[in-house]
Amino acid sequence: MGVMEKEIKRQLDILSSGALEVLPGDGLKAKIAVSLKENRPLIVKLGVDPTAPDLHLGHAVPLRKLRQFQDLGHKAVLIIGDFTALVGDPSGRSATRPPLTPEQVKINAKTYTDQAFKVLDDNPQRLEIRYNSKWLGSFSFETILKLTARFTVAGLLVRDDFMKRYKAEQPIGLHEFLYPVMQAYDSVEIRADIELGGSDQKFNLLAGRQLQEKFEQEPQVALTLPLLEGTDGVRKMSKSYDNHIGLTFEPADMFGKVMRVPDEGPEQPRFSLILKYYQLALGYLPDKVAAIAADLEAEKLDPRDAKEELAWQVVATYQGREAADAARADFDARFRRPRLQTVHADTERIVTRMPAVEISVESNIEREALKEDGTIWVPKLLVLTGGAQSTSEGRRLIEQSGVRFKGELITDPATEVKIEGGEILQIGKRKVYKLTLLPINS
RNA sequence: GGGGGAGUGCCCGAGUGGCCAAUGGGAGCGGGCUGUAAACCCGCCGGCUUAGCCUACGUAGGUUCAAAUCCUGCCUCCCCCA
């Protein structure tokens, strides 16, 4: 095998790892070959819809793949779909999604790129960011007619979710047909060699190929990535399923959420989900993933430790190493060896993230929460600290043995405690507060 | 333009006059257990210093001793025909 062939194979192995589909099957190999022969980087497109400001680990999957391309010297082009977002994203369940204002889109796009830069290489040689309103926004109706004439209704109806909805007699907005068209045009505009997307994007990616051909460009290769399961280990990660791990979550929360992901999904090989996270959420190269898999299999690596490392890496990426270290120490202290009861004496030392809650004498006497002698009804205290939404919830927590004040279990919802400052209040396993008493006039 | 259907707690969804703060599932929360905030088991899951009271079933009225349930207007959504 020649040097060239070896390099092609190396890149192909890395880039196709973890991919769900590569269409056409040998397309990626051909693109890499051309890239090497002509000594030019491939243009790799990833489209982003700035409709939702909250990004989660699932969104990071294509970003990781994009990064792999960058690391091999290729050029990532991030398309911010600000134009499509203005129209309002019709795909999926949430039927009434109000069109966003330009300001919102701008803010969302900023949030997105801020997060994306934590994964991507921001070297301008390797990364370009384009807003599709730049070209789509100025299209005349005539241009649109010419564009749409290149697609047929039957062709669009082939699309899985359109067909399903059509058969199920669910509504399909006319403008929804234009989505693939717009996205396809983006590929033409930037002359994409490869476009990445989730499995739900397959159709749109293929539409790009179709349109590029009409514009006499070499059609792009569509590379789809599997959807990452959420913290339930079953359904795809999504905010609407409440199983997501947000990229902006508090470090401790983020760490815990990763730890909480099951080792494997139902009826899947052991540890498959841990490995999937390594591969997709962290973008580990195939040989490293294989090594972890082997160690797990041989019981050289404890699955708990594998997951802990995973959690650390995730937090480190988005929140920094220090935060990751702290989150890990915190997790160990709270959930690992000792039960909380026995460790309580040391809680203050061990628990790294312990929000100090200031109880203001002045404002709370006015609200009749804190009495003049410094005592307070516990359910009220729980609300003041933010540990409970309502005194009713506070009551429940107490009734269910979830509340400790100065290490002592509170069992009666009517209990009042005296606050002098410095007391530790624990609510459940996760919430620990240190109370600070603010004197009057401070 | 015409005909039909629907709006219930964070989400899905039962409930068609009193037994409804409203079945069930999911999410969430507390406890137990544990390598794990997994799995599993038990409990909670509108508010209120809570054996009681208040507010709630799109919205505004009405019928009734009594309404999520019946009637009317309005709003929103969906389907079919054109």
Side-chain angles (χ1 to χ4, degrees), chain A residues 286-359:
Chain A
D287 50 338
K288 277 178 91 176
V289 177
I292 295 169
D295 284 352
L296 283 172
E297 202 49 54
E299 294 187 10
K300 266 161 63 189
L301 177 63
D302 186 321
R304 204 208 72 89
D305 293 339
K307 211 187 283 181
E308 188 184 76
E309 172 65 13
L310 180 67
W312 188 90
Q313 291 288 350
V314 169
V315 177
T317 302
Y318 300 101
Q319 317 277 353
R321 290 164 163 269
E322 247 173 70
D325 285 340
R328 174 161 56 192
D330 190 62
F331 187 87
D332 275 3
R334 293 197 200 193
F335 303 109
R336 208 171 176 184
R337 290 174 206 92
R339 300 265 73 85
L340 196 60
Q341 296 88 305
T342 58
V343 81
H344 170 264
D346 284 335
T347 301
E348 186 173 357
R349 185 168 55 77
I350 294 172
V351 174
T352 53
R353 280 202 75 264
M354 184 163 55
V357 172
E358 297 174 336
I359 304 295

Side-chain angles (χ1 to χ4, degrees), chain A residues 133-154:
Chain A
S133 61
K134 195 94 178 266
W135 50 89
L136 294 178
S138 56
F139 275 10
S140 68
F141 211 99
E142 192 188 347
T143 314
I144 294 166
L145 286 176
K146 281 185 180 160
L147 263 185
T148 50
R150 305 192 186 263
F151 293 89
T152 63
V153 171

Side-chain angles (χ1 to χ4, degrees), chain A residues 15-151:
Chain A
L15 295 175
S16 58
S17 69
L20 191 68
E21 281 188 291
V22 178
L23 300 166
D26 53 358
L28 185 57
K29 189 175 179 185
K31 288 278 187 187
I32 294 169
V34 169
S35 153
L36 289 172
K37 199 174 291 171
E38 298 178 5
N39 192 28
R40 69 165 180 94
L42 294 172
I43 294 174
V44 189
K45 172 192 172 197
L46 176 66
V48 171
D49 231 346
T51 38
D54 298 308
L55 293 181
H56 55 63
L57 264 190
H59 296 117
V61 174
L63 287 174
R64 290 289 186 184
K65 181 54 76 182
L66 200 52
R67 175 63 193 253
Q68 291 178 342
F69 274 97
Q70 288 185 309
D71 288 345
L72 291 173
H74 301 295
K75 179 162 192 174
V77 180
L78 204 57
I79 306 265
I80 309 288
D82 61 338
F83 187 74
T84 27
L86 284 177
V87 182
D89 182 3
S91 71
R93 67 211 78 231
S94 41
T96 46
R97 189 172 281 173
L100 300 179
T101 66
E103 289 73 34
Q104 285 173 302
V105 169
K106 219 171 164 184
I107 292 167
N108 290 350
K110 173 90 166 64
T111 314
Y112 191 97
T113 49
D114 282 351
Q115 298 306 321
F117 284 160
K118 297 194 170 165
V119 174
L120 296 179
D121 179 351
D122 60 0
N123 176 345
Q125 298 284 311
R126 300 271 164 74
L127 178 65
E128 201 177 308
I129 296 184
R130 306 284 303 271
Y131 290 78
N132 70 3
S133 61
K134 195 94 178 266
W135 50 89
L136 294 178
S138 56
F139 275 10
S140 68
F141 211 99
E142 192 188 347
T143 314
I144 294 166
L145 286 176
K146 281 185 180 160
L147 263 185
T148 50
R150 305 192 186 263
F151 293 89

Side-chain angles (χ1 to χ4, degrees), chain A residues 183-300:
Chain A
Q183 190 170 336
Y185 188 80
D186 291 344
S187 293
V188 172
E189 177 70 27
I190 66 163
R191 306 187 80 89
D193 287 305
I194 293 165
E195 180 166 5
L196 308 183
S199 57
D200 52 345
Q201 287 291 312
K202 179 173 165 184
F203 183 89
N204 293 341
L205 305 191
L206 293 177
R209 282 176 62 80
Q210 206 177 326
L211 198 60
Q212 281 176 311
E213 247 178 331
K214 307 269 186 191
F215 278 82
E216 293 178 351
Q217 291 181 13
E218 183 66 23
Q220 64 186 3
V221 170
L223 194 158
T224 60
L225 293 155
L227 296 170
L228 187 65
E229 283 88 346
T231 51
D232 55 11
V234 179
R235 295 178 298 180
K236 67 168 185 174
M237 186 177 289
S238 160
K239 204 184 167 193
S240 49
Y241 293 149
D242 236 324
N243 65 356
H244 66 301
I245 301 173
L247 299 187
T248 54
F249 280 4
E250 290 291 325
D253 193 29
M254 199 174 195
F255 194 97
K257 285 257 166 50
V258 176
M259 290 303 283
R260 156 192 211 166
V261 173
D263 297 354
E264 58 266 321
E267 293 169 43
Q268 284 173 0
R270 289 182 71 206
F271 314 133
S272 57
L273 203 48
I274 296 180
L275 296 170
K276 194 168 179 181
Y277 265 69
Y278 269 107
Q279 180 172 54
L280 296 177
L282 292 179
Y284 271 37
L285 298 182
D287 50 338
K288 277 178 91 176
V289 177
I292 295 169
D295 284 352
L296 283 172
E297 202 49 54
E299 294 187 10
K300 266 161 63 189

Side-chain angles (χ1 to χ4, degrees), chain A residues 395 397-403 408-415:
Chain A
R395 263 172 186 281
L397 287 166
I398 293 166
E399 281 162 4
Q400 295 180 124
S401 308
V403 177
E408 304 219 358
L409 194 63
I410 308 265
T411 51
D412 181 2
T415 307

Side-chain angles (χ1 to χ4, degrees), chain A residues 345-401:
Chain A
D346 284 335
T347 301
E348 186 173 357
R349 185 168 55 77
I350 294 172
V351 174
T352 53
R353 280 202 75 264
M354 184 163 55
V357 172
E358 297 174 336
I359 304 295
S360 160
V361 172
E362 193 167 37
S363 64
N364 285 302
I365 282 182
E366 280 164 18
R367 282 151 64 184
E368 289 175 46
L370 189 68
K371 296 185 182 160
E372 305 224 10
D373 62 356
T375 61
I376 184 166
W377 182 46
V378 179
K380 199 84 193 173
L381 177 62
L382 298 182
V383 174
L384 284 178
T385 57
Q389 295 285 317
S390 61
T391 55
S392 292
E393 189 185 333
R395 263 172 186 281
R396 274 180 237 126
L397 287 166
I398 293 166
E399 281 162 4
Q400 295 180 124
S401 308

